[in-house]
Amino acid sequence: MITFHNDLHALHHGKLEMFRGAMVPCFEVPARVDHVLAELRARALGPVQAPPACGDDPIARVHARRYLDFLAGAWDEWVALDPANASRDAIPSCWPIRTFRSDVLPASFPARLGLFSFDAGSPLTAGTWTAARKGADCAVAAAQRLLAGDRAAFALTRPPGHHAGADFFGGYCFLNNAAIAAQALRDGGLDRVAVLDIDYHHGNGTQSIFYGRGDVFFASVHGDPRTEYPFYLGHADERGLGDGAGCNLNLPLARGTGFDSWRSALAQALQAIRAFGAQALVLSLGVDTFEGDPISGFRLASPDYLRVGEDLAAAGLPTAFVFEGGYAVAEVGINAVNVLDGFCQRAA
């Protein structure tokens, strides 16, 4: 399995985030990818390389142009407000919620920062755009390998992506790498593509991008949004809209769920993907389902991730893995690579 590694990911390194009423050091750190990369190399699962540049079009197929324009210039605008801002990250503090207008683009940078975000836990840094942009390159490269006939490919990148919508960031995510990969597969000639999200936190951004479409099936196994971030999407009754009716499957589980119950939900998601007739799978690979994760609540152990990989391989689909969450930093490499290792062993 080839891995496309974002060698610029560490340019995005937030200092602080808002968490439960306090400013705390960010949970999403560069060491997450470094541990995965080290484990990949230790097990020699396949070549690791930087991706080719994908250009703007694959990203603009998923994200709104005014949002992309904002991200590309946000840091310069932030520093232009006050030169002292160069030493602190940009964090939104106001949002256009119910009855507020979002169609008019404010001239104020803080207002636009809020317009294009949904939480105060995703600091925008000097290197955010560069790192996120290179991450999209990884996602497109992985999709292209599937189109060329590979059984699997891995986009190893950060910041993660599955919370980012067409025109908003949040949950540490700025560009939705899984959605970009899925769209690249569609644009490459596949009629039906599935995205399966196994991160502890619901992929609200991915769901919102494809919710009205019948050509991309979205399934997610995640913490119950009544108690778990991102809270406002991920309920079981969200089944899709219009052409996408029946093409969205949410399988929320209670905090404390162990592997047997979680694995049953995974089997249900894979069965729905088979019934949809998907020709390829994009897997949002979050390993914050781990029992030691500091901001999550499932109870999967490291060996369980080998079984996860085996179950995914048994689905028989070309699969693009896209790295998402996992904040038990010391174990994230073992857990993520266990999924890939299990997949490769079963697919061999």
Side-chain angles (χ1 to χ4, degrees):
M1 180 189 302
I2 190 169
T3 293
F4 292 101
H5 170 238
N6 181 352
D7 57 352
L8 300 179
H9 76 90
L11 294 178
H12 171 76
H13 191 177
K15 297 179 178 67
L16 298 170
E17 64 176 90
M18 177 68 73
F19 183 71
R20 297 175 182 170
M23 296 302 293
V24 302
C26 291
F27 291 100
E28 203 289 298
V29 295
R32 297 174 59 246
V33 160
D34 298 339
H35 279 283
V36 178
L37 183 62
E39 190 70 20
L40 276 172
R41 288 176 167 158
R43 299 197 210 181
L45 286 187
V48 177
Q49 64 185 57
C54 70
D56 294 335
D57 288 348
I59 302 171
R61 293 280 288 143
V62 167
H63 291 285
R65 174 52 62 185
R66 71 173 190 168
Y67 173 63
L68 296 176
D69 290 343
F70 169 77
L71 287 181
W75 184 255
D76 288 342
E77 288 196 70
W78 174 239
V79 175
L81 285 178
D82 180 350
N85 284 347
S87 64
R88 51 180 175 251
D89 298 338
I91 297 177
S93 59
C94 58
W95 297 270
I97 63 165
R98 293 167 294 279
T99 76
F100 285 34
R101 292 185 66 174
S102 59
D103 59 316
V104 178
L105 193 63
S108 162
F109 175 80
R112 276 181 286 121
L113 186 65
L115 176 68
F116 292 124
S117 67
F118 71 90
D119 69 16
S122 304
L124 191 150
T125 79
T128 296
W129 173 245
T130 300
R133 184 67 182 71
K134 189 68 172 285
D137 291 340
C138 293
V140 172
Q144 289 175 339
R145 291 304 288 254
L146 300 194
L147 293 169
D150 283 18
R151 178 71 166 86
F154 181 31
L156 176 56
T157 186
R158 53 170 295 281
H162 70 147
H163 293 307
D167 62 355
F168 60 80
F169 69 87
Y172 312 139
C173 303
F174 297 88
L175 295 178
N176 194 310
N177 300 310
I180 289 167
Q183 186 61 52
L185 290 168
R186 283 286 294 113
D187 291 340
L190 300 188
D191 293 325
R192 291 191 159 215
V193 175
V195 180
L196 173 57
D197 194 320
I198 61 170
D199 192 280
Y200 180 79
H201 305 96
H202 178 254
N204 60 301
T206 315
Q207 173 173 308
S208 68
I209 287 167
F210 295 120
Y211 200 65
R213 290 174 50 172
D215 57 337
V216 178
F217 188 93
F218 176 69
S220 180
V221 182
H222 54 271
D224 190 332
R226 292 176 300 173
T227 59
E228 308 304 317
Y229 182 91
F231 303 116
Y232 307 111
L233 279 182
H235 298 278
D237 63 353
E238 297 159 13
R239 300 288 296 155
L241 186 66
D243 291 343
C247 295
N248 196 89
L249 176 64
N250 286 323
L251 298 167
L253 300 173
R255 176 173 280 264
T257 293
F259 182 54
D260 288 345
S261 296
W262 187 93
R263 194 179 192 185
S264 294
L266 176 65
Q268 184 178 345
L270 290 171
Q271 175 57 40
I273 288 167
R274 282 191 291 271
F276 173 73
Q279 297 161 285
L281 176 65
V282 177
L283 193 285
S284 274
L285 177 56
V287 290
D288 45 2
T289 49
F290 177 58
E291 59 190 352
D293 196 273
I295 59 173
S296 304
F298 289 162
R299 293 189 291 108
L300 275 66
S302 291
D304 295 332
Y305 293 103
L306 289 163
R307 309 288 85 77
V308 173
E310 292 168 359
D311 291 351
L312 293 168
L317 292 172
T319 302
F321 293 86
V322 178
F323 188 54
E324 302 283 5
Y327 307 102
V329 176
E331 295 86 5
V332 71
I334 292 170
N335 295 338
V337 178
N338 273 358
V339 175
L340 304 179
D341 203 350
F343 184 97
C344 290
Q345 291 182 36
R346 180 64 181 267

